[in-house]
Amino acid sequence: MWVAVDAMSGDYGPEGIVEGAVLAVREFGLSVSLVGDEQELLDILLKFDYDTEKIRVIHSTEIIGMNDSPSIAVRAMEDSSVVKAVRLVADKECIGVFSPGNTGATMAAALLHLGRLPGVLRPPIAAPIPREEGPPVILLDAGANVDCKPEYLAQFAIMGEIYSRELFGVKNPKVGILSNGEEDKKGNTVSVKTFDLLKKIPFNFVGNVEGRDLYGSGREVDVVVCDGFIGNIVLKATEGLAKSIFNVLRNSIRQSSLAQTGALLLKSTFTAVKKRLDYAEYGGALLLGVEGICMIGHGSSNALAVKNAVRVISECAKHQINERIRERLGEYKTILGDSN
């Protein structure tokens, strides 16, 4: 199974992305199509030992930048690395695509060239949020759809429940709506109507949950739905808070020789905590509900993130995530309606 990787769109150039692809081939036996400047990518590949039958380079001449308009750039720059990578999936040459570039451009390319699965009203971004214990909470939508209808959120819940069950092994995922209180009638008009819809779906719906529940310090939940405006704020705030905590801890340790000694003794513990909170362990966030598998990575994705992104994409294919989504939405069509 070949996975397409946009090798040119990250913040720090293609070297870490190429290294991640090599690691995926070595550790998981997967096959990767690197899309980007052919000569530059081949020069980087010379630094590594790898199975040459499992990595190929697809040449592209353009790069969509972080500040480019997604809808305009995707149509105007057909030879860009992200568009060519997505088209490999559309042409059935690859099972999925990973890009650490412009999120909007990746989404636009996926919608333009892959299209939505039958029955999907709006594809959401599903972001894994690390918590105190166990597998991550799946937060969706994490930024694809700023304004949502209740029917969209209900579909997000179904897709997130499948993702949690199939990829993270949660047997009966608990699904909740992100709100400003646990009471049934808390929230805005959209979340209240979504509550009524989710009560009708035969899965483990636990009702409204609050922000603290995302991290395992409150009500237990595995899948949390909200609109993309709220979800993206939550995601960025979570990333910023985790980074700030580590920076404060690091600076405090540097100011005391006693603290430095203690830090040496706790090095393995700090390493384990950092690993648990590192987004790179999950590769990125899936754009669910499109034909093919599309993962959006952080702009600063390193080799570890790329390696895990390729792994997750292959696991999605093995677990037939899209087939499960198509089947489940078909089962609940009467409940969800068809609100485009």
Side-chain angles (χ1 to χ4, degrees):
M1 297 190 294
W2 288 87
V3 175
V5 173
D6 170 11
M8 305 304 292
S9 298
D11 292 343
Y12 303 120
E15 188 145 350
I17 298 173
V18 172
E19 182 183 357
V22 171
L23 291 174
V25 169
R26 284 182 188 167
E27 296 184 27
F28 310 128
L30 302 171
S31 301
V32 178
S33 296
L34 291 169
V35 184
D37 183 275
E38 183 175 26
Q39 192 57 58
E40 186 174 359
L41 296 180
L42 290 174
D43 288 344
I44 296 171
L45 282 168
L46 290 174
K47 302 176 183 179
F48 303 99
D49 291 324
Y50 64 95
D51 185 344
T52 56
E53 296 296 317
K54 290 185 175 292
I55 293 184
R56 63 184 180 185
V57 174
I58 307 297
H59 183 59
S60 69
T61 60
E62 298 175 302
I63 303 172
I64 295 179
M66 293 296 186
N67 295 320
D68 288 331
S69 169
S71 58
I72 295 174
V74 163
R75 288 177 169 80
M77 303 171 71
E78 294 185 356
D79 203 50
S80 63
S81 53
V82 63
V83 171
K84 292 198 75 169
V86 169
R87 286 172 64 181
L88 288 174
V89 182
D91 294 338
K92 308 300 182 185
E93 294 184 40
C94 293
I95 58 167
V97 57
F98 169 74
S99 175
N102 185 313
T103 297
T106 305
M107 288 169 45
L111 289 171
L112 179 64
H113 295 290
L114 303 180
R116 293 177 288 177
L117 289 171
V120 171
L121 300 174
R122 295 291 186 278
I125 294 175
I129 304 291
R131 55 180 163 179
E132 292 175 6
E133 295 180 354
V137 171
I138 307 303
L139 174 71
L140 65 176
D141 182 13
N145 306 278
V146 173
D147 297 307
C148 290
K149 299 179 180 180
E151 293 81 7
Y152 302 171
L153 294 179
Q155 286 198 349
F156 298 169
I158 292 167
M159 289 187 266
E161 196 263 359
I162 292 169
Y163 183 23
S164 179
R165 183 191 302 273
E166 297 292 337
L167 267 293
F168 293 101
V170 181
K171 291 184 179 180
N172 190 23
K174 295 180 174 67
V175 179
I177 303 169
L178 187 61
S179 189
N180 59 334
E182 294 184 0
E183 297 84 358
D184 291 4
K185 296 303 179 183
K186 282 282 189 176
N188 57 24
T189 302
V190 172
S191 64
V192 170
K193 289 183 177 179
T194 302
F195 190 104
D196 293 336
L197 273 179
L198 293 186
K199 285 195 302 183
K200 301 175 184 177
I201 297 174
F203 59 19
N204 195 0
F205 177 52
V206 298
N208 290 332
V209 297
E210 298 177 280
R212 64 182 174 220
D213 301 323
L214 287 167
Y215 313 103
S217 56
R219 193 175 188 183
E220 187 177 347
V221 66
D222 302 296
V223 177
V224 174
V225 296
C226 59
D227 65 50
F229 180 79
I230 294 171
N232 193 258
I233 291 173
V234 169
L235 182 63
K236 297 296 174 59
T238 300
E239 291 176 354
L241 178 60
K243 185 175 181 180
S244 294
I245 289 173
F246 277 106
N247 287 340
V248 169
L249 184 61
R250 185 183 299 111
N251 292 335
S252 297
I253 290 171
R254 286 173 179 169
Q255 294 172 11
S256 166
S257 57
L258 183 61
Q260 290 174 24
T261 302
L264 286 174
L265 296 173
L266 292 171
K267 184 177 180 180
S268 61
T269 301
F270 287 148
T271 300
V273 171
K274 186 175 185 300
K275 178 180 174 67
R276 184 166 189 80
L277 299 179
D278 190 355
Y279 73 89
E281 294 295 329
Y282 307 109
L286 283 172
L287 179 66
L288 295 175
V290 294
E291 291 278 6
I293 303 161
C294 180
M295 174 166 277
I296 299 169
H298 202 289
S300 59
S301 293
N302 55 19
L304 177 62
V306 177
K307 179 191 77 171
N308 284 319
V310 174
R311 172 185 58 80
V312 171
I313 288 170
S314 70
E315 290 177 354
C316 284
K318 290 175 184 176
H319 286 266
Q320 298 183 309
I321 292 293
N322 283 346
E323 285 73 12
R324 301 286 84 78
I325 291 173
R326 187 183 290 111
E327 291 168 2
R328 199 68 59 82
L329 291 182
E331 291 175 15
Y332 304 148
K333 186 175 181 180
T334 302
I335 297 173
L336 298 175
D338 187 23
S339 178
N340 286 300

